[in-house]
Amino acid sequence: TALQKRTGTSALSDEEADALAANLVQEIKLPESTQYKLGDLNISKDNSEESFTSYKNALNVILSRFVASQEENDLTVVTKALDMGDAKILEKLTAHITEYQTLEKNLLSLKTPSLFATPHLHLIQSYADMHAATEGMQKMFSDTIIGLAALTAYQGGIASLNAAADEYRNINPTTQ
């Protein structure tokens, strides 16, 4: 290659390796998540305690159904597939992707008190990002770079989900 001719070796310098890695990252085309906005939500102006309780209970039902729908979480499936060297295990993620779609639909339709609109949006977006990343992780064996980049994106979705949970905890509806 031109690099080998120029340097007389096949080894890359740290700067060249960093530049190559940066270029590769820019070229990776991960599945894109739907980008939601506040206008996509079912926002209610009712911020009463009853509205909050109803929202909280409905949200708990939706999230509990989602968790119960998965025998194993996405990372467990990917880890098993990699440990066993078996790409067929990743087929389990197809059902998870369908569950993410259902979760997003249910969360979008949930009547949300306006006080909780922003954290609710962040919650939905976190799951949408994890949904897209899960699609990418299915390619862990067929396109390792996409699979690994999707794994990193998935971890970012988890961090966003934790940040949304913190947003919820910081809202006290009785003082608003």
Side-chain angles (χ1 to χ4, degrees):
T1 68
L3 178 62
Q4 289 172 327
K5 286 179 186 175
R6 192 186 65 186
T7 63
T9 179
S10 61
L12 297 176
S13 71
D14 287 344
E15 293 86 19
E16 291 169 325
D18 288 344
L20 180 60
N23 284 334
L24 285 173
V25 167
Q26 289 176 350
E27 297 299 317
I28 295 173
K29 301 291 185 228
L30 290 173
E32 293 185 24
S33 62
T34 301
Q35 296 301 303
Y36 294 108
K37 52 193 178 306
L38 286 172
D40 296 323
L41 304 182
N42 180 10
I43 300 174
S44 167
K45 292 180 183 178
D46 182 1
N47 285 305
S48 67
E49 182 138 354
E50 295 81 24
S51 176
F52 166 68
T53 300
S54 176
Y55 168 76
K56 181 179 80 169
N57 291 340
L59 181 62
N60 283 334
V61 168
I62 291 168
L63 294 176
S64 294
R65 282 187 192 144
F66 175 72
V67 170
S69 72
Q70 298 184 354
E71 291 177 25
E72 304 169 295
N73 72 43
D74 303 325
L75 294 178
T76 301
V77 172
V78 171
T79 300
K80 277 187 179 178
L82 291 173
D83 286 348
M84 299 176 81
D86 186 354
K88 285 188 98 30
I89 293 173
L90 294 177
E91 291 174 9
K92 292 180 180 180
L93 296 177
T94 301
H96 293 199
I97 290 166
T98 300
E99 291 300 328
Y100 277 115
Q101 292 166 337
T102 301
L103 175 64
E104 289 169 48
K105 182 179 144 223
N106 291 338
L107 290 173
L108 286 168
S109 67
L110 178 59
K111 191 173 191 176
T112 305
S114 60
L115 184 60
F116 294 98
T118 298
H120 188 75
L121 175 64
H122 294 159
L123 176 75
I124 296 169
Q125 192 61 58
S126 298
Y127 280 117
D129 293 346
M130 291 166 66
H131 167 190
T134 301
E135 290 178 9
M137 289 188 304
Q138 283 187 303
K139 298 180 179 181
M140 193 63 75
F141 287 89
S142 62
D143 190 333
T144 306
I145 291 174
I146 295 288
L148 292 173
L151 180 61
T152 300
Y154 186 90
Q155 292 168 331
I158 291 172
S160 295
L161 194 59
N162 289 329
D166 288 342
E167 285 181 78
Y168 276 108
R169 283 191 276 286
N170 291 330
I171 296 175
N172 183 350
T174 59
T175 62
Q176 300 295 320

